[in-house]
Each structure stands twice: as structure tokens, then as C-alpha cells.
């Protein structure tokens, strides 16, 4: 859920900034459920494959060629499981970093790519507990343009209309200019009507 979504739900811009600053951009429940269900399905498939391989191994006793094939499949399953666990760990790390960096930097993906993830530790609930602050300080010193500046009051500059903020100093009133022109024209003409 983005800041715009929160504003559309009726929160003020300040409230939306506070929510996004504290919790980051939120994932819609539908997307979370989709990913969670896919994970559960994959875990069930891995368990089923392991069970099937064990059954097949028991049935294939005495057949060396089949035993070799089964051993290779078991090794491939172990490798796939290790890769899956590593990918899941990387995804958790990436999500935790992005949540921690949100509203601190201009480009979350760019800064996350500059962080040494091997020194970062995560808590059980997926939050960064150690190793990020030191790296951010170093990055902020060397590449400060990547970081969102501390809250500053905006300054507006622009044009001051005649009779505006400078109280007419140096500017003339349109009506008085018009009257002055009419008087000058009237004094040079012999006609009583200055508008002719």
C-alpha cells in the first residue's frame, strides 16, 4: 500500500507520511497470500518427492542402476532444497533492507545494492537488527545525494504582482496610471473629453 492509497482511504498527507515512514510500503494481503500459498505448495511437493524417492529406493534394492539413479535424484533434491532456502533467505534480507531504507533514500533498490548483506543480521520477525546503520553512515558521507535530506521547510519564490507584498513601493497602480494619462491628454487637447 502506497502513500497515495492511504490518502485515498481518507488519511491526511501528514498521517500517510507517518504510516509509510514507520511501516514502509505495505504489500497487499492478496499478494502476500499468493506468495505464502505458493511456498506451502512447494514445501508439500518437496516432501512428496522425498517420500516417493524413499519408497522407490526400498523397492529397488538389488538393482544397482536404479539405485544410482535414485541417489542422483536425492542429491539433486538436496541441492534444490539448499538453493530454495538460500533464495528465501535472500528475499527476506532484500525485503528487510527495503523496508529499513524506505523514506531514507531516493532509490531503495540502488542503495540496497550497495549494502554488504553478509554483515547484516535479521531478527525472527524479519527486521534488520545489526550491521546496517554503520554502512548507511559511511554511504551518507561518501554519497549523500542518494539520501533524502532531513525535513526542510519549503521556500517559495516567485513574482510579486503590482500592489502586492511590497505594498506598492516601486510599483504603480493601474488605475492611477490610467487617470494620469487621461489628464495629460486632456491638458494637451482643447477638447473637454479626455477620452477622445
Amino acid at each position: 500500500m502506497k502513500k497515495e492509497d492511504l490518502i485515498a482511504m481518507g488519511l491526511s498527507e501528514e498521517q500517510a507520511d507517518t504510516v509509510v515512514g514507520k511501516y514502509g510500503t505495505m504489500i497487499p494481503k492478496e499478494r502476500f497470500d499468493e506468495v505464502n500459498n505458493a511456498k506451502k505448495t512447494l514445501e508439500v511437493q518437496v516432501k512428496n518427492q522425498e517420500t516417493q524417492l524413499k519408497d522407490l529406493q526400498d523397492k529397488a534394492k538389488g538393482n544397482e542402476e536404479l539405485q544410482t539413479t535414485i541417489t542422483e535424484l536425492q542429491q539433486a533434491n538436496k541441492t534444490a532444497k539448499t538453493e530454495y532456502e538460500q533464495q528465501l533467505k535472500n528475499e527476506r534480507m532484500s525485503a528487510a533492507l527495503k523496508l529499513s531504507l524506505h523514506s531514507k533514500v531516493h532509490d531503495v533498490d540502488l542503495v540496497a545494492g550497495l549494502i554488504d548483506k553478509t554483515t547484516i543480521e535479521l531478527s525472527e520477525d524479519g527486521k534488520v537488527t545489526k550491521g546496517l546503520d554503520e554502512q548507511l553512515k559511511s554511504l551518507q558521507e561518501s554519497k549523500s545525494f542518494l539520501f533524502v535530506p532531513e525535513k526542510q521547510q519549503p521556500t517559495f519564490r516567485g513574482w510579486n504582482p503590482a500592489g502586492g507584498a511590497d505594498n506598492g513601493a516601486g510599483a504603480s497602480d493601474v488605475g492611477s496610471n490610467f487617470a494620469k494619462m487621461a489628464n495629460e491628454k486632456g491638458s494637451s487637447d482643447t477638447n473637454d473629453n479626455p477620452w477622445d
Side-chain angles (χ1 to χ4, degrees), residues 181-196:
M181 286 177 18
N183 286 336
E184 288 173 1
K185 186 173 182 176
S187 63
S188 66
D189 291 342
T190 56
N191 191 353
D192 288 341
N193 187 356
W195 307 110
D196 290 334

Side-chain angles (χ1 to χ4, degrees), residues 9-85:
M9 290 174 55
L11 294 177
S12 70
E13 187 168 344
E14 184 179 305
Q15 290 170 329
D17 283 337
T18 303
V19 170
V20 170
K22 182 164 181 148
Y23 299 106
T25 303
M26 294 172 250
I27 300 170
K29 183 174 180 343
E30 296 82 21
R31 177 69 179 135
F32 173 78
D33 290 342
E34 178 185 329
V35 172
N36 199 24
N37 290 336
K39 176 185 174 272
K40 288 177 183 176
T41 302
L42 288 173
E43 287 174 349
V44 168
Q45 288 176 357
V46 167
K47 285 181 183 177
N48 287 341
Q49 288 175 348
E50 288 174 357
T51 304
Q52 290 170 355
L53 282 173
K54 186 161 175 53
D55 291 343
L56 189 57
Q57 189 174 23
D58 291 341
K59 291 177 184 176
K61 289 197 176 179
N63 186 343
E64 283 191 34
E65 187 177 317
L66 190 55
Q67 284 287 0
T68 304
T69 304
I70 291 171
T71 304
E72 289 172 359
L73 287 174
Q74 286 175 330
Q75 191 61 32
N77 275 350
K78 283 183 184 177
T79 304
K81 185 177 181 181
T82 303
E83 289 173 359
Y84 168 75
E85 288 172 352

Side-chain angles (χ1 to χ4, degrees), residues 22-192:
K22 182 164 181 148
Y23 299 106
T25 303
M26 294 172 250
I27 300 170
K29 183 174 180 343
E30 296 82 21
R31 177 69 179 135
F32 173 78
D33 290 342
E34 178 185 329
V35 172
N36 199 24
N37 290 336
K39 176 185 174 272
K40 288 177 183 176
T41 302
L42 288 173
E43 287 174 349
V44 168
Q45 288 176 357
V46 167
K47 285 181 183 177
N48 287 341
Q49 288 175 348
E50 288 174 357
T51 304
Q52 290 170 355
L53 282 173
K54 186 161 175 53
D55 291 343
L56 189 57
Q57 189 174 23
D58 291 341
K59 291 177 184 176
K61 289 197 176 179
N63 186 343
E64 283 191 34
E65 187 177 317
L66 190 55
Q67 284 287 0
T68 304
T69 304
I70 291 171
T71 304
E72 289 172 359
L73 287 174
Q74 286 175 330
Q75 191 61 32
N77 275 350
K78 283 183 184 177
T79 304
K81 185 177 181 181
T82 303
E83 289 173 359
Y84 168 75
E85 288 172 352
Q86 184 61 41
Q87 183 180 3
L88 189 61
K89 182 179 177 183
N90 290 343
E91 288 294 324
R92 282 186 71 212
M93 176 67 71
S94 178
L97 276 176
K98 287 180 181 182
L99 283 174
S100 295
L101 294 173
H102 184 74
S103 76
K104 292 181 182 177
V105 297
H106 292 291
D107 188 343
V108 173
D109 294 323
L110 178 67
V111 175
L114 297 173
I115 301 292
D116 180 12
K117 294 172 184 75
T118 59
T119 62
I120 297 194
E121 294 179 16
L122 297 180
S123 64
E124 286 297 317
D125 62 349
K127 293 185 180 180
V128 176
T129 57
K130 190 176 179 185
L132 180 62
D133 291 335
E134 300 82 17
Q135 291 186 57
L136 285 180
K137 283 180 186 175
S138 173
L139 266 176
Q140 196 164 16
E141 290 170 3
S142 63
K143 297 178 177 80
S144 62
F145 61 90
L146 293 172
F147 293 83
V148 174
E150 295 298 320
K151 292 190 180 193
Q152 299 174 349
Q153 293 296 330
T155 56
F156 298 102
R157 295 185 183 183
W159 174 73
N160 282 335
D166 62 357
N167 295 326
S172 59
D173 184 36
V174 175
S176 63
N177 281 342
F178 190 66
K180 182 178 176 184
M181 286 177 18
N183 286 336
E184 288 173 1
K185 186 173 182 176
S187 63
S188 66
D189 291 342
T190 56
N191 191 353
D192 288 341

